[in-house]
Amino acid sequence: MSSLLLEPFSVCEGPCESVRRGCTSSDLHPQAPSQRLAAAATVASAVGMGCLPPAHRRSYAARRTLAAASIGRRKITHPGKAILAGGIAGGIEICITFPTEYVKTQLQLDERANPPRYRGIGDCVKLTVQDHGLRGLYRGLSSLLYGSIPKSAVRFGTFEMLSNPMRDATGRLDNTRSLLCGLGAGIAEAILVVCPMETLKVKMIHDQCSLRPRYRGFFHGVSEIIREQGVRGTYQGLTATVLKQGTNQAIRFYVMNSLRNWYKGDDPRQEMHPIVTAMFGATAGAASVFGNTPLDVVKTRMQGLEAHRYKNTVDCAFQILKHEGPLAFYKGTVPRLGRVCLDVAIVFVIYEEVVKLLNNVWKTQ
């Protein structure tokens, strides 16, 4: 045994010998995983034993660093893809979930100061269908549909533009930064799309409750509102909308990103099944509902036909608290919870799937 241990050997045998013979990179990096590991060990041993010249060692180290980075890096989403995928997802989602948005808005407009018209969600649906048919549950859809496509496009496009520079070498975005990027995305969509869209939607739904509805449709309603109140009439409740949308998206992207990081662990390349994405999206939606429904109630009142009763956003909140009590800030929570959970789940699933499709046909860096 001792004779075997003391047997002389050459340091240039084994890995060094293969390197000195000038084996190619394909020889050192075959396709089979086990062979790839063995080849990597061979070259590493050669480098460690000093059988490569200094220049070659530096070149090998640089290539190894780049290879490791490319293996661990998750492709970031191009903002153009995010805008297109977000628009498609937003249009499909609103067509599915609008009746819950209609009921939520009606319950929030049903003030306690006057005799309430609806006794609950079921009664609201029943009376609406009784008076206007099933189409009544889709009153105001056009204004939301025309706005949902650009709204989701702005939201996801802004989020990707803000978050891409903040990601680490593997493409991971930490939770704090996802909160800030979500806040920025929410503010952008509130100013550019959501405020005028929501104002038109609320006015048209509120108009349907009156004895003599004034608006015959979306374009007639828009023309009448602008004729009477100017473009400013479509920006009622801007402060409340910015607060609502900013906190909305901050909460949603924070929760969604936190759950995604937890699920993927140390492997950012791991794909998420659409069902998992939907579950995480629904959870993020629920968190945003409980977190900012009071802001949503104030926003809705500021955009209704009776908005002239309030001096500003703070006065609106004060009057609701004074005349209706703190629970009034959570009016419409149940229908909003159902709508938002479904909304966020659908949007994130469709968005992720459309991005995957676009990656196959639209090659970007």
Side-chain angles (χ1 to χ4, degrees):
M1 182 69 179
S2 60
S3 61
L4 292 176
L5 293 175
L6 297 175
E7 184 177 348
F9 63 94
S10 170
V11 295
C12 290
E13 292 178 350
C16 295
E17 184 179 12
S18 63
V19 173
R20 287 181 181 278
R21 284 200 301 265
C23 57
T24 64
S25 59
S26 60
D27 295 329
L28 291 176
H29 299 283
Q31 296 300 315
S34 59
Q35 293 175 324
R36 188 183 301 114
L37 291 174
T42 298
V43 177
S45 299
V47 175
M49 286 185 282
C51 298
L52 291 178
H56 289 181
R57 286 201 298 270
R58 289 193 296 269
S59 176
Y60 169 74
R63 289 196 301 271
R64 183 175 60 182
T65 301
L66 290 174
S70 64
I71 291 174
R73 182 180 296 275
R74 182 181 69 84
K75 285 187 177 181
I76 60 177
T77 302
H78 189 276
K81 294 179 182 178
I83 291 172
L84 182 57
I88 294 172
I92 296 174
E93 173 274 324
I94 197 59
C95 291
I96 297 173
T97 63
F98 184 80
T100 59
E101 175 69 14
Y102 174 89
V103 173
K104 183 267 298 184
T105 303
Q106 288 285 30
L107 291 178
Q108 289 180 344
L109 291 170
D110 194 24
E111 302 181 37
R112 184 183 296 176
N114 301 317
R117 184 181 181 191
Y118 305 115
R119 295 190 299 271
I121 298 173
D123 187 52
C124 179
V125 174
K126 177 183 176 182
L127 289 178
T128 301
V129 173
Q130 180 180 329
D131 295 340
H132 306 283
L134 288 174
R135 293 182 61 182
L137 293 174
Y138 283 88
R139 183 67 183 270
L141 171 64
S142 54
S143 63
L144 219 56
L145 181 61
Y146 298 147
S148 286
I149 295 175
K151 177 182 73 172
S152 293
V154 169
R155 175 193 308 165
F156 284 100
T158 302
F159 182 82
E160 294 298 342
M161 282 189 286
L162 293 176
S163 64
N164 285 346
M166 297 184 180
R167 298 180 185 274
D168 61 19
T170 64
R172 184 186 296 272
L173 181 69
D174 66 44
N175 299 336
T176 302
R177 291 178 177 177
S178 69
L179 180 74
L180 296 175
C181 293
L183 179 64
I187 292 174
E189 71 173 355
I191 296 173
L192 297 176
V193 182
V194 176
C195 189
M197 176 193 72
E198 288 283 318
T199 301
L200 295 172
K201 178 207 72 174
V202 172
K203 287 182 183 296
M204 293 188 71
I205 291 177
H206 206 173
D207 177 65
Q208 183 170 290
C209 301
S210 59
L211 296 177
R212 295 181 179 179
R214 300 169 51 200
Y215 307 139
R216 296 191 296 270
F218 173 75
F219 293 105
H220 178 256
V222 172
S223 62
E224 287 295 303
I225 292 171
I226 293 179
R227 183 178 65 83
E228 295 175 1
Q229 305 174 28
V231 176
R232 185 178 180 181
T234 64
Y235 270 88
Q236 290 180 329
L238 177 60
T239 302
T241 303
V242 168
L243 291 173
K244 180 228 174 182
Q245 289 302 121
T247 56
N248 235 356
Q249 302 313 323
I251 293 172
R252 290 177 189 177
F253 279 107
Y254 173 82
V255 174
M256 188 69 187
N257 193 70
S258 299
L259 292 173
R260 183 186 286 117
N261 288 342
W262 167 79
Y263 180 83
K264 292 186 176 183
D266 297 329
D267 184 9
R269 296 169 296 163
Q270 182 177 351
E271 295 288 340
M272 291 202 318
H273 192 278
I275 294 179
V276 176
T277 302
M279 292 173 59
F280 288 173
T283 303
S288 69
V289 168
F290 291 114
N292 77 348
T293 289
L295 290 172
D296 189 46
V297 172
V298 174
K299 175 198 72 68
T300 300
R301 295 286 180 86
M302 289 294 294
Q303 292 172 335
L305 297 178
E306 302 296 325
H308 62 273
R309 296 171 48 192
Y310 310 115
K311 298 177 182 178
N312 50 45
T313 301
V314 175
D315 180 61
C316 178
F318 176 77
Q319 290 198 39
I320 292 173
L321 179 63
K322 178 180 179 180
H323 298 294
E324 303 173 59
L327 291 180
F329 287 109
Y330 281 89
K331 279 188 172 183
T333 296
V334 175
R336 186 181 180 223
L337 185 65
R339 181 227 187 281
V340 169
C341 289
L342 189 59
D343 164 2
V344 181
I346 291 173
V347 165
F348 272 111
V349 169
I350 296 177
Y351 174 78
E352 296 287 347
E353 295 304 309
V354 173
V355 167
K356 292 178 184 177
L357 178 62
L358 291 176
N359 285 337
N360 294 328
V361 298
W362 182 0
K363 301 300 181 182
T364 56
Q365 294 295 329

